[in-house]
Amino acid sequence: GGGIVIDDDWPGYSLDLFSYPAHYSGDLDCVVVPHGVIMDRTERLARNIMDDLGDHDIVVLCVLKGGYQFCVDLVDKIKALSCNSNRTLPMRVHFIRLKSYLNDLSTEDLHIVGAEDLSFLAGKNVLIVEAIVGTGKTMKALLKHVESFSPKLIKVAGLLVKRVPHNSTCLPDYVGFEIPDRFVVGYALDYNEYFRDLNHICVISESGKTKYKI
Ligand SMILES: Oc1ncnc2c1N=NC2
């Protein structure tokens, strides 16, 4: 399923109801997903993942940069489950870099850095962890690349899935939230490298886009 569905016409939470860095005041419109809700949803995703993949070595493939916070928290939740159950398994984490955004526009060229040799994936359960899936183009290219190293199976965990026009069918296997097609920042999601130090997932304001435009 698509996780927690946030409708297009939902106005979001007022920033006055939450704590957030003072240096971003005026740069954000609203809070879409508060940090606490992200953590609770991630805890349940961890259980679903363990139910499906918990029988064989897992290699987590963290897609940087935006995915690092979700990956840290998801791996922590999986570890917590592992040490409380007799069914434990070694889990490795590998980091790859996808760069495909300048300002808030997706650029055509997708280059995968740090994924040159993934031969250690052969025969493993691979969990690709990505913060946000839009058109699915990036995800599709990455899946094709990972498949070429013949893993035992590949699953994808996406914290956010954006409802975008002509989005490709490839939806993550584990979805945190389905959100409207608006540019969000926070929880390691950036706009020109800013807002990664924001805990909540928020919609950037027009003045914020102007302020940090490259
Ligand atoms: O909304 C977004 N915010 C940050 N980064 C990305 C987004 N969509 N694709 C990449």
Side-chain angles (χ1 to χ4, degrees):
I4 296 174
V5 179
I6 295 173
D7 288 329
D8 287 354
D9 55 7
W10 185 63
Y13 297 104
S14 160
L15 281 143
D16 302 339
L17 302 171
F18 295 93
S19 301
Y20 64 96
H23 53 265
Y24 289 137
S25 58
D27 302 336
L28 302 165
D29 262 349
C30 67
V31 177
V32 177
V33 191
H35 183 257
V37 178
I38 298 172
M39 300 306 280
D40 292 338
R41 180 73 187 121
T42 300
E43 190 168 324
R44 177 54 194 264
L45 290 180
R47 198 184 88 192
N48 298 351
I49 289 165
M50 280 301 280
D51 290 349
D52 297 346
L53 303 185
D55 60 335
H56 192 78
D57 290 14
I58 297 181
V59 179
V60 171
L61 219 45
C62 172
V63 180
L64 296 172
K65 289 189 188 176
Y68 76 79
Q69 194 61 61
F70 179 45
C71 190
V72 161
D73 293 329
L74 183 62
V75 167
D76 268 357
K77 301 288 184 191
I78 292 175
K79 276 189 317 192
L81 286 175
S82 289
C83 73
N84 292 326
S85 83
N86 50 16
R87 210 178 46 180
T88 64
L89 62 137
M91 181 167 50
R92 291 173 52 175
V93 185
H94 188 78
F95 300 91
I96 56 177
R97 176 88 202 280
L98 301 182
K99 182 98 179 69
S100 64
Y101 267 77
L102 179 70
N103 293 333
D104 57 345
L105 292 178
S106 170
T107 59
E108 269 320 299
D109 65 324
L110 165 76
H111 36 267
I112 304 177
V113 179
E116 293 74 21
D117 174 26
L118 294 177
S119 49
F120 62 90
L121 293 183
K124 299 283 195 302
N125 281 351
V126 178
L127 178 69
I128 295 174
V129 178
E130 170 76 274
I132 190 161
V133 177
T135 57
K137 253 191 353 269
T138 310
M139 192 44 65
K140 212 176 245 169
L142 181 56
L143 273 171
K144 212 165 99 238
H145 184 74
V146 170
E147 274 157 12
S148 70
F149 294 97
S150 32
K152 181 169 177 272
L153 70 84
I154 307 175
K155 293 278 187 184
V156 179
L159 178 67
L160 304 172
V161 169
K162 259 192 191 179
R163 282 191 299 276
V164 295
H166 30 270
N167 64 335
S168 71
T169 47
C170 89
L171 272 181
D173 304 277
Y174 309 99
V175 176
F177 307 83
E178 184 192 294
I179 64 169
D181 183 12
R182 299 183 68 190
F183 200 82
V184 291
V185 291
Y187 196 68
L189 283 167
D190 77 302
Y191 175 81
N192 294 335
E193 300 304 329
Y194 289 93
F195 301 105
R196 294 198 201 272
D197 54 334
L198 169 65
N199 266 349
H200 315 297
I201 292 171
C202 302
V203 172
I204 187 173
S205 65
E206 282 313 311
S207 61
K209 280 191 189 177
T210 309
K211 185 171 169 184
Y212 298 111
K213 202 168 196 76
I214 286 180

